[in-house]
Amino acid sequence: MKKTLKIIDNLSSDLALAILKQLAESDEQLAERIAEMALTQLSRVDPEELAIVIYDALDALEVEEVWDRSGATRHGYVDPAEAADQMISEVITPHLEEMKKYRKLGMPAQANRLCMGLLMGLYQFEHDSTNEFKNWASDAAGSYAWVVVDAWQGGSPKQADVKAVKAFVEDELEGWCLHLLQKKSP
């Protein structure tokens, strides 16, 4: 068993996925069990845990990297604010892709919680971070809150989902970015 686990531990993610698909195609009961396990894992979206991840990632951004990415390049000039925006985008975008995945899988509750976690992380970054990086991205949290809300609403959430996210913003974020939800509500 130890050797088997060692082999599995050293598979690339692409190869592991290919093997998993082969197993699922070869056994319908196994395929159902795999899907059941996947749904269990996918269902675990904790807004507070995600907010911590987002806040920590944003708070770890370094102003020196803004300087390294900005200035004259062979393709023109990169403004420091543009470089800072790109760095924030690199933190947020994978989570927006995950939100799309939840919508595609018909998991609106998880998409809602992901939206809440992203907004909470951005809120905490705007209100709690003392990172010098913020000087180069002063409007970033509010701008990315709009991006998050826009991406979330791109999935056409039901009225109950909109109410739940609005209540979360009112209760947990002191109404921060509530105007974005009010403007865009169906």
Side-chain angles (χ1 to χ4, degrees):
M1 183 70 167
K2 221 175 195 183
K3 183 178 180 182
T4 304
L5 291 176
K6 187 175 182 180
I7 292 169
I8 292 170
D9 286 343
N10 285 289
L11 294 175
S12 71
S13 57
D14 289 340
L15 183 55
L17 180 59
I19 291 169
L20 188 64
K21 286 180 179 181
Q22 286 178 338
L23 285 170
E25 289 171 0
S26 69
D27 185 333
E28 191 173 320
Q29 286 182 329
L30 184 57
E32 288 177 20
R33 179 74 177 123
I34 291 168
E36 183 181 300
M37 291 174 76
L39 282 174
T40 298
Q41 291 297 317
L42 288 169
S43 295
R44 296 181 182 156
V45 179
D46 182 341
E48 290 178 2
E49 284 180 20
L50 178 58
I52 291 168
V53 168
I54 296 299
Y55 175 84
D56 287 347
L58 293 173
D59 200 49
L61 295 175
E62 296 179 357
V63 70
E64 290 81 9
E65 189 171 344
V66 171
W67 301 332
D68 289 345
R69 291 185 180 202
S70 62
T73 69
R74 71 171 26 172
H75 305 291
Y77 179 81
V78 177
D79 185 81
E82 184 182 342
D85 183 71
Q86 180 61 39
M87 292 167 64
I88 294 170
S89 178
E90 291 167 5
V91 170
I92 301 297
T93 300
H95 301 285
L96 296 177
E97 294 301 319
E98 191 174 352
M99 191 183 319
K100 289 178 190 175
K101 175 180 67 179
Y102 285 123
R103 287 196 318 255
K104 187 176 180 181
L105 292 171
M107 301 174 78
Q110 289 75 14
N112 295 349
R113 290 196 297 269
L114 192 81
C115 176
M116 292 172 188
L118 284 166
L119 292 175
M120 181 182 278
L122 289 164
Y123 171 83
Q124 290 170 345
F125 179 67
E126 180 167 292
H127 290 87
D128 299 339
S129 178
T130 58
N131 185 339
E132 188 180 353
F133 172 84
K134 279 177 53 176
N135 295 337
W136 298 98
S138 58
D139 298 336
S143 296
Y144 276 93
W146 182 88
V147 170
V148 169
V149 168
D150 190 55
W152 173 71
Q153 289 190 331
S156 301
K158 294 183 176 167
Q159 194 60 35
D161 296 328
V162 173
K163 271 182 129 169
V165 173
K166 280 183 178 180
F168 172 83
V169 168
E170 288 174 348
D171 297 343
E172 300 295 326
L173 309 183
E174 302 173 348
W176 181 78
C177 79
L178 185 61
H179 64 285
L180 299 173
L181 291 161
Q182 292 172 335
K183 285 182 183 177
K184 300 186 73 58
S185 294

